């Protein structure tokens, strides 16, 4: 029986968040903490030849200045991946706490520790760094075989990794007579997560151990990385993760925690705080990989796919971080979403002198869907087919099983989500109405599908641990290693735990803070895994606790174990439904009994060796002002099959946020770099155009609820998927309105002007002034 | 260099306050560091994101670009002032809870204070006007959808009118 799951319960943290009582990292930091300011390189590539700290050290309040010549020579990895005990699967360790070889404009060279923020900031400006400058490169394809010193010596061609997929025989298959060839290059930009709380952490020492309190998604992983970076046993590090102001993947990485942990050891264990400025969050944390994708499809006149080729070039920036995993995940979608017997696919991840690219909501899939869905529309157009009707013919069919992940498309999900989206936006009527438009203002309607798979099995470990502790009143504390980062997993966990144990939702007390000293091991929030993965250990642990409770109840009620159940916080005799006692009465007796005292608790780990597809689509309607090259988004609908909804209201809210991010990705967001210096030009929230309240219409979020058979609660990924398909859907609508296929996002007036001009949309003389 | 301090008197959340303040300090610094009013959040410190928004003499300001010394003689209200004596939520706080307008919660206090200014005007606004009035705040979690719904709901409730169907 299920009571909580499926209901739109109010968030367990809402009261604290609307009253200002929810404590985030900076709220917890002692006022006398020392402040660390980082000195960033002012060149994009080169070697530090000297750092003069004399002037900086003379600033009153400065405690210490440390430089790239002081740090341990111990390269460490930063990616928020579960560690692998197999050396071949370990993340690339390619950076030091501060770096002599600087690899992007803004690299970390030195750090000032001071009594206060003003002294730290002033002194940081007075640190004089001298460099031997090297040529730099900002573009991934240009970086491959770049004629200059390599960005990392171990990789002379700057290629961090290259992987490939081969299926059938592409070269032979494309020779088939009568095939139609469609080719395109599709570009995505460097963008940033823009969580409203910047990354912040502080560290101190107690009894020879280091504690770091951090705005992170992955406390247990951060503990490991700090241990690796400092060369100390991992148990000597304790990470505390309080409420965080958003993450979106940026905080699925060791950012400044290792440096902060080291700094406290340099000042006798005093508390040191690193609080990133917004400008640093943009450049010195992580960004989304800019990926350029090249696709060639050979299609039969009946629309079937004969042979397909895919190449992508992923801009890694200066350090490996999550590295090739992003491009590899994106490429992995290619042979699956539209299966084809003959495929040649290659993904390259390339070091460049840009800021470091890491995880960001969708993990390669927004880039892959941009390329793949734009290309699908290009094929449909060449064949004279409707984008929806054509997709129905070639999309992954029901019953499709991926040989590697063993993921199965159990339902007719794609057709169901498209049917729902079409009906919601009025696709058929609008498609007809918008045919054959002329004039400067035109409307269009379009769509895109997305492919996503939940969690990281079988590429990497998937496991979750949970602890439950029964209180005297029958309420239960629940802890997991998977973190609340705003998405609402604490609330979903409380719902799942209530049902697993058999108690009311209100009697579940979720411990939101993760503290690696006391929280069961779990790798954190990423890969849209929390609800799916957490569900396994919550159900298992809940059943263990329930079993212990009922076993104890046998003593108190004189009934057989098989005749007892725990329902809504009551011990019930199943044969007649009689309530025998409350759980609170049992718990009190169990703790204080003079004959048999027992603290009823349960803790368990569940390793998941399954994964789940999570599919959906976006439909978008636009109005394009051709002379102004401006796009107005009129309507947008996302439809998701994320299995059974644990909490419909929170699911809907999650989709809104992803759609908003996807709209920014399609229309406005891009981190720009000065080609002469490599410096970021718009690393602030004014010049970097993320969506504001004014920038999108009503966001409609719909669901198709096909229960996921492998999940105890029938659920699967929802966190990242909503951001994956809006951009190509908007492009599809612009194509429908104007007949112009735009191959670069964001589709700003600059980009549209070029595309419209090339397509001959402007009359002679109209562009004379430009 | 010598640090200059100035004496100010102001009202913070209904309490009269006497304080020596560093002339370089922002109102955000004053409220967070000296009064531990942690609802005042720092997201950019240059007036772009709205997370530090407070009400000064009835109008909303980004406290990060408002000097602490300017607070002299002013009446300042932060999110902490909205709660009833027994911890009761105000109507707008309750609307944010009920409409799932809160996710990570970091932009929430600033948004709620702008909503308070909107509600206290006693006027009825259209959706477009509300969007514009709230556009000084950035949120990366919600797509603004449920925030709009929460503010609208509280507005119509105060106006004593039924909320029109979307």
């Amino acid at each position: 029986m299920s009571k909580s799951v499926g209901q739109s319960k109010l968030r367990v943290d809402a009261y604290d968040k609307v009253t200002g009582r929810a404590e985030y990292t900076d709220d917890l930091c002692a006022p006398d903490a020392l402040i660390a300011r980082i000195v960033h390189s002012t060149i994009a590539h080169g070697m530090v030849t000297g750092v003069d700290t004399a002037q900086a050290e003379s600033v009153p309040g400065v405690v210490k200045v440390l430089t790239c010549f002081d740090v341990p020579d111990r390269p460490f990895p930063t990616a928020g991946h579960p560690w692998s005990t197999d050396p071949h699967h370990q993340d690339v360790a390619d950076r030091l706490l501060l770096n002599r070889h600087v690899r992007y404009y803004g690299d970390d060279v030195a750090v000032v520790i001071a009594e206060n923020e003003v002294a730290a900031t002033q002194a940081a400006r007075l640190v004089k760094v001298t460099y031997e400058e090297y040529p730099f490169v900002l573009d991934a394809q240009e970086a491959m075989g770049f004629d200059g010193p390599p960005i990392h010596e171990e990789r002379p061609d700057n290629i961090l990794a290259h992987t490939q997929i081969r299926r059938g025989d592409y070269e032979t298959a494309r020779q088939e007579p009568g095939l139609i060839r469609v080719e395109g290059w599709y570009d995505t930009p460097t963008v940033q997560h823009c969580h409203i709380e910047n990354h912040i952490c502080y560290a101190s020492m107690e009894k020879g151990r280091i504690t770091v309190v951090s705005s992170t998604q992955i406390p247990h992983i951060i503990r490991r990385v700090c241990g690796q970076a400092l060369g100390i046993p991992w148990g000597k590090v304790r990470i505390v993760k309080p409420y965080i102001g958003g993450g979106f993947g940026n905080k699925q990485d060791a950012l400044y925690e290792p440096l902060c942990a080291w700094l406290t050891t340099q000042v006798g264990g005093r508390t040191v705080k690193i609080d990133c400025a917004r400008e640093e969050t943009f450049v010195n944390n992580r960004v989304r990989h800019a990926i350029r994708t090249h696709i060639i499809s050979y299609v039969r006149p009946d629309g079937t796919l004969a042979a397909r080729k895919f190449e992508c070039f992923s801009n890694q920036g200066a350090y490996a971080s999550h590295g090739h995993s992003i491009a590899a995940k994106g490429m992995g979608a290619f042979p699956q979403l539209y299966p084809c017997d003959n495929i040649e696919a290659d993904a390259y991840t390339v070091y460049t002198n840009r800021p470091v690219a890491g995880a960001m909501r969708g993990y390669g899939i927004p880039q892959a869907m941009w390329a793949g869905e734009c290309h699908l529309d290009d094929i449909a157009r060449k064949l004279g087919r409707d984008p929806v009707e054509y997709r129905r013919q070639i999309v992954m069919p029901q019953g499709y099983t991926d040989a590697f992940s063993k993921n199965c498309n159990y339902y007719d999900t794609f057709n169901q989500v498209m049917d729902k989206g079409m009906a919601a936006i009025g696709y058929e009527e609008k498609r007809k109405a918008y045919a054959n438009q002329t004039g400067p203002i035109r409307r269009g309607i379009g769509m895109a599908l997305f492919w996503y798979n939940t969690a990281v099995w079988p590429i990497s470990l998937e496991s979750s641990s949970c602890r439950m502790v029964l209180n005297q009143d029958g309420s239960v504390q629940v802890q997991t290693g998977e973190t609340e980062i705003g998405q609402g997993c604490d609330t979903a966990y409380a719902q799942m735990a209530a049902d697993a144990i058999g108690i009311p939702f209100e009697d579940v007390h979720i411990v939101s803070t993760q503290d690696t000293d006391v929280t069961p091991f779990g790798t954190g929030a990423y890969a849209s895994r929390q609800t799916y993965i957490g569900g396994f250990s919550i159900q298992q642990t809940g059943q263990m606790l329930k079993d212990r409770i009922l076993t104890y109840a046998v003593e108190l009620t004189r009934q057989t174990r098989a005749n007892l159940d725990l329902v809504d916080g009551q011990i019930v005799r199943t044969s007649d439904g009689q309530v025998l006692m409350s759980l609170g009465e049992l718990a009190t007796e169990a703790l204080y009994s003079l004959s048999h005292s027992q603290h009823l608790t349960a803790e368990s780990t569940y390793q998941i060796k399954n994964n789940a597809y999570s599919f959906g689509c976006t439909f978008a309607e636009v109005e394009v002002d051709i002379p102004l090259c401006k796009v107005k988004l009129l309507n947008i609908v996302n439809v998701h099959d994320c299995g059974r909804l644990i909490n419909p209201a929170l699911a809907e809210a999650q989709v809104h946020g992803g759609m908003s991010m996807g709209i920014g990705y399609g229309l406005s967001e891009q981190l720009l770099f000065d080609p002469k210096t490599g410096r970021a030009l718009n690393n602030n929230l004014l010049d970097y155009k993320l969506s504001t309240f004014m920038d999108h219409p009503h966001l409609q979020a719909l669901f198709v609820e096909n229960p996921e058979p492998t999940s105890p609660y029938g659920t699967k990924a929802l966190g990242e998927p909503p951001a994956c398909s809006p951009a190509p859907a908007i492009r599809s609508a612009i194509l429908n309105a104007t007949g112009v296929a735009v191959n670069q996002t964001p589709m700003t007036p600059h980009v549209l002007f070029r595309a419209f001009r090339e397509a001959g949309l402007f009359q002679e003389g109209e562009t004379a002034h430009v | 260099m010598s640090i200059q301090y100035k004496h100010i008197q102001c009202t913070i959340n209904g309490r009269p306050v006497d304080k020596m303040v560093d002339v370089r300090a922002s109102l955000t610094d004053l409220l967070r560091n000296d009064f531990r009013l942690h609802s005042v959040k720092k997201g950019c410190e240059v007036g772009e994101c709205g997370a530090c928004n407070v009400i000064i003499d009835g109008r909303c300001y980004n406290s990060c670009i408002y000097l602490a010394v300017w607070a002299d003689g002013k009446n300042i209200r932060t999110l902490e002032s909205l709660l009833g004596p027994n911890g009761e939520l105000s109507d707008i706080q309750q609307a944010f809870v009920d409409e799932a307008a809160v996710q990570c919660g970091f932009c929430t206090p600033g948004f709620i204070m702008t909503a308070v200014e909107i509600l206290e005007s006693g006027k009825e606004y259209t959706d477009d006007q509300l969007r514009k009035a709230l556009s000084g705040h950035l949120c990366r979690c919600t797509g603004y959808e449920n925030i709009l719904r929460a503010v609208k709901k509280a507005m119509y409730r105060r106006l004593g009118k039924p909320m029109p169907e979307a």
Side-chain angles (χ1 to χ4, degrees):
Chain A
M1 85 185 281
S2 167
K3 287 193 167 169
S4 291
V5 167
Q7 290 184 33
S8 289
K9 294 286 187 189
L10 299 180
R11 287 183 71 107
V12 294
D13 53 5
Y15 182 92
D16 287 349
K17 286 177 174 176
V18 299
T19 55
R21 287 184 185 170
E23 290 186 302
Y24 300 74
T25 300
D26 195 43
D27 306 333
L28 294 163
C29 187
D32 63 348
L34 299 174
I35 306 296
R37 272 274 165 221
I38 295 160
V39 178
H40 300 290
S41 73
T42 52
I43 63 168
H45 194 198
M47 194 63 77
V48 176
T49 52
V51 184
D52 179 355
T53 60
Q55 250 189 302
E57 279 163 350
S58 70
V59 173
V62 167
V63 174
K64 207 161 204 173
V65 183
L66 294 155
T67 77
C68 53
F69 295 97
D70 300 322
V71 297
D73 185 19
R74 187 183 300 108
F76 61 94
T78 67
H81 293 146
W83 187 237
S84 172
T85 51
D86 172 1
H88 300 294
H89 285 111
Q90 290 170 357
D91 291 311
V92 177
D94 65 352
R95 69 154 72 200
L96 302 177
L97 295 167
L98 299 165
N99 292 289
R100 272 196 69 203
H101 184 172
V102 293
R103 299 174 170 99
Y104 73 101
Y105 194 110
D107 208 341
D108 306 332
V109 175
V111 62
V112 174
I113 306 172
E115 300 284 351
N116 62 71
E117 203 179 318
V118 177
T121 306
Q122 285 177 341
R125 282 195 208 113
L126 296 172
V127 173
K128 292 201 182 77
V129 184
T130 48
Y131 304 95
E132 180 194 346
E133 281 198 56
Y134 298 160
F136 68 88
V137 60
L138 300 175
D139 182 87
Q141 280 176 283
E142 285 172 24
M144 295 167 72
F146 182 65
D147 187 19
I151 296 168
H152 291 270
E153 278 171 16
E154 315 80 71
R155 289 181 170 78
D157 54 6
N158 289 326
I159 298 172
L160 172 61
H162 165 217
T163 55
Q164 59 183 42
I165 298 171
R166 295 289 182 268
R167 180 186 292 175
D169 183 349
Y170 170 80
E171 282 303 330
T172 306
R174 75 191 184 96
Q175 308 297 334
E176 182 183 318
L179 294 180
I180 300 154
R181 184 176 188 276
V182 181
E183 178 176 10
W185 285 86
Y186 308 93
D187 252 321
T188 63
T190 295
V191 297
Q192 220 270 334
H193 315 67
C194 297
H195 35 71
I196 305 301
E197 182 200 32
N198 291 304
H199 170 60
I200 177 173
C201 56
Y202 62 88
S204 59
M205 292 184 76
E206 206 177 331
K207 295 182 207 150
R209 297 173 77 219
I210 301 169
T211 299
V212 186
V213 179
S214 178
S215 180
T216 182
Q217 302 171 215
I218 48 167
H220 278 98
I221 289 176
I222 297 297
R223 174 169 69 167
R224 182 257 299 169
V225 176
C226 286
Q228 291 172 323
L230 273 62
I232 58 175
W234 301 353
K236 292 267 189 193
V237 181
R238 171 186 171 210
I239 306 293
V240 178
K241 178 256 158 209
Y243 282 120
I244 81 169
F248 308 112
N250 187 33
K251 298 170 185 173
Q252 190 207 339
D253 220 304
L255 296 171
Y256 282 123
E257 297 94 341
L259 178 62
C260 203
W262 181 68
L263 292 181
T264 189
T265 68
Q266 301 301 298
V267 291
R270 291 178 67 184
T271 303
V272 180
K273 176 164 80 170
I274 297 179
D275 184 1
C276 288
R278 177 59 62 182
E279 292 75 8
E280 289 178 300
T281 295
F282 268 105
V283 173
N284 308 115
N285 286 187
R286 302 292 178 266
V287 295
R288 193 196 285 287
H289 291 77
I291 299 183
R292 183 176 299 136
T293 305
H294 179 210
I295 304 177
I296 305 171
S297 295
Y298 289 90
V299 186
R300 298 184 188 92
D302 68 359
T304 51
L305 300 167
R308 301 189 81 195
K309 186 178 176 63
F310 170 104
E311 283 177 299
C312 75
F313 305 91
S314 179
N315 193 322
Q316 180 52 53
Y319 296 99
S321 175
H322 283 253
H324 193 59
S325 312
I326 279 93
K329 177 155 183 170
M331 177 170 70
F334 184 75
Q336 297 186 34
L337 184 52
Y338 302 103
C340 172
D341 292 336
N342 302 289
I343 281 176
E344 220 176 86
D346 292 85
Y348 300 86
T349 297
V350 189
Y351 281 126
T352 69
N353 299 110
R354 281 200 202 192
V356 182
M360 182 172 167
R361 198 176 199 166
Y363 212 79
I365 301 305
Q367 297 97 319
M369 292 306 114
W370 169 256
E373 290 299 282
C374 289
H375 186 78
L376 240 285
D377 265 20
D378 292 348
I379 300 175
R381 188 165 166 239
K382 197 139 187 178
L383 296 172
R385 303 271 296 269
D386 175 85
V388 174
E389 176 267 326
Y390 181 51
R391 280 173 172 81
R392 289 192 198 278
Q393 180 191 344
I394 61 166
V395 75
M396 176 196 286
Q398 182 177 0
Y400 176 96
T401 303
D402 177 52
F404 174 63
S405 67
K406 308 288 189 294
N407 280 354
C408 179
N409 187 20
Y410 299 103
Y411 304 93
D412 192 19
T413 288
F414 283 113
N415 284 312
Q416 292 169 354
V417 295
M418 285 193 286
D419 288 343
K420 203 156 189 170
M422 286 170 81
I425 205 162
Y427 180 84
E428 304 262 24
E429 310 86 86
K430 285 175 179 165
R431 197 87 191 169
K432 274 191 203 107
Y434 298 155
N436 310 316
Q437 293 173 91
T438 54
I441 314 281
R442 294 179 207 171
R443 288 187 172 197
I445 186 147
M447 58 81 62
L449 296 176
F450 74 84
W451 173 104
Y452 191 85
N453 65 344
T454 316
V456 300
W457 180 262
I459 307 261
S460 204
L461 169 73
E462 273 306 356
S463 86
S464 169
S465 301
C466 178
R467 178 186 300 134
M468 296 182 179
V469 175
L470 181 66
N471 298 315
Q472 289 92 328
D473 61 353
S475 65
V476 175
Q477 267 85 259
V478 175
Q479 284 179 291
T480 75
E482 277 58 62
T483 53
E484 170 66 61
I485 62 170
Q487 81 284 47
C489 70
D490 278 357
T491 308
Y493 288 169
Q495 292 176 261
M496 297 192 293
D499 289 359
I501 306 164
I503 59 175
F505 171 73
E506 295 71 24
D507 286 351
V508 178
H509 307 309
I510 287 281
V511 181
S512 188
T513 295
Q514 275 76 20
D515 174 339
T516 55
D517 271 9
V518 295
T519 306
F521 182 82
T523 47
Y526 55 87
S528 306
R529 65 190 285 277
Q530 297 84 258
T531 309
Y532 178 69
I533 300 295
F536 290 93
S537 66
I538 289 170
Q539 192 200 45
Q540 176 176 277
T541 310
Q543 287 176 346
M544 283 170 68
L545 181 65
K546 181 178 186 166
D547 188 58
R548 284 172 196 173
I549 290 166
L550 295 178
T551 301
Y552 196 91
V554 170
E555 292 180 34
L556 300 180
T557 64
R558 295 167 281 100
Q559 309 302 310
T560 65
R561 168 68 186 80
N563 198 18
L564 289 170
D565 198 4
L566 178 56
V567 181
D568 208 20
Q570 309 286 344
I571 309 297
V572 173
R573 184 167 58 205
T574 49
S575 51
D576 62 355
Q578 177 72 38
V579 173
L580 304 178
M581 65 195 308
S582 74
L583 179 56
E585 288 167 321
L586 178 142
T588 307
E589 181 61 26
L591 265 184
Y592 300 113
S593 166
L594 295 176
S595 55
H596 177 194
S597 173
Q598 189 180 354
H599 188 197
L600 291 163
T601 67
E603 180 162 356
S604 74
T605 299
Y606 193 102
Q607 185 181 356
I608 299 94
K609 295 184 178 176
N610 270 315
N611 199 321
Y613 282 138
S614 186
F615 299 141
C617 64
T618 302
F619 280 79
E621 184 186 7
V622 299
E623 185 174 273
V624 186
D625 183 325
I626 294 170
L628 284 180
C629 302
K630 275 184 84 169
V631 174
K632 187 174 181 200
L633 185 60
L634 301 174
N635 278 300
I636 187 158
V637 182
N638 260 39
V639 191
H640 293 263
D641 178 1
C642 58
R644 190 173 170 211
L645 300 180
I646 305 300
N647 183 315
L650 296 192
E652 190 190 16
Q654 186 72 0
V655 175
H656 293 154
M659 291 171 77
S660 174
M661 202 177 267
I663 292 166
Y665 198 51
L667 291 174
S668 60
E669 290 185 39
Q670 179 168 26
L671 197 54
L672 299 164
F673 299 93
D674 179 357
K676 294 197 188 77
T677 62
R679 186 173 67 91
L681 293 171
N682 58 338
N683 52 327
N684 60 73
L685 293 173
L686 185 66
D687 298 316
Y688 178 90
K689 302 297 182 190
L690 73 152
S691 295
T692 75
F693 226 122
M694 310 283 283
D695 293 320
H696 35 65
H698 169 60
L699 305 173
Q700 197 174 355
L702 300 172
F703 298 92
V704 169
E705 289 190 68
N706 290 319
E708 166 60 32
T710 60
S711 156
Y713 296 95
T715 185
K716 52 189 179 175
L718 185 63
E720 296 167 279
C724 295
S725 50
I730 294 167
R731 187 261 198 189
S732 172
I734 295 172
L735 174 61
N736 179 236
T738 63
V740 180
V742 186
N743 289 345
Q744 181 184 347
T745 192
M747 293 169 283
T748 59
H750 301 81
V751 169
L752 293 180
F753 172 74
R754 258 198 327 271
F756 290 170
R757 186 171 60 177
E758 277 164 25
L761 249 58
F762 303 121
Q763 300 303 311
E764 194 62 40
E766 267 187 352
T767 62
H769 321 288
V770 184
Chain B
M1 95 212 62
S2 65
I3 299 170
Q4 290 186 358
Y5 288 94
K6 198 175 169 231
H7 176 242
I8 64 164
Q9 288 181 311
C10 61
T11 304
I12 298 177
N13 294 339
R15 269 181 42 219
V17 163
D18 244 76
K19 194 83 192 166
M20 291 297 286
V21 298
D22 185 329
V23 295
R24 302 165 303 183
S26 70
L27 182 58
T28 304
D29 292 336
L30 178 76
L31 296 171
R32 281 188 64 82
N33 301 341
D34 295 2
F35 294 96
R36 314 282 296 167
L37 292 167
H38 285 159
S39 76
V40 184
K41 299 294 183 204
K42 296 188 293 180
C44 69
E45 296 189 82
V46 288
E48 290 160 359
C49 75
C52 64
N53 181 39
V54 300
I55 296 181
I56 303 172
D57 285 351
R59 288 195 57 193
C60 281
Y61 288 87
N62 288 325
S63 64
C64 70
I65 49 171
Y66 190 99
L67 284 176
V69 292
W70 296 344
D72 192 31
K74 301 284 198 297
N75 179 18
I76 296 153
R77 283 189 287 159
T78 71
L79 179 73
E80 283 84 353
S81 69
L82 299 184
L83 213 55
N86 300 311
E88 312 93 324
L89 295 179
S90 63
D91 56 353
I92 184 65
Q93 288 169 305
Q94 190 63 52
F96 267 66
V97 174
D98 293 342
E99 297 304 315
V102 178
Q103 289 191 37
C104 85
F106 209 75
C107 71
T108 306
F111 261 114
I112 291 181
M113 295 315 284
T114 290
V116 166
E117 189 189 22
I118 291 168
L119 296 176
E120 287 181 353
S121 76
K123 292 180 189 156
E124 181 175 347
Y125 295 97
T126 65
D127 281 10
D128 283 350
Q129 287 169 330
L130 286 177
R131 282 181 182 277
K132 196 169 177 186
L134 292 161
S135 66
H137 296 270
L138 295 173
C139 170
R140 196 57 147 169
C141 298
T142 65
Y144 310 102
E145 190 71 22
N146 290 352
I147 294 175
L148 180 70
R149 215 157 61 190
V151 176
K152 247 174 98 167
K153 185 177 167 185
M155 179 181 78
Y156 280 107
R157 201 164 278 174
R158 278 211 196 177
L159 292 168
K161 292 182 179 180
M163 186 155 129
E165 290 298 313

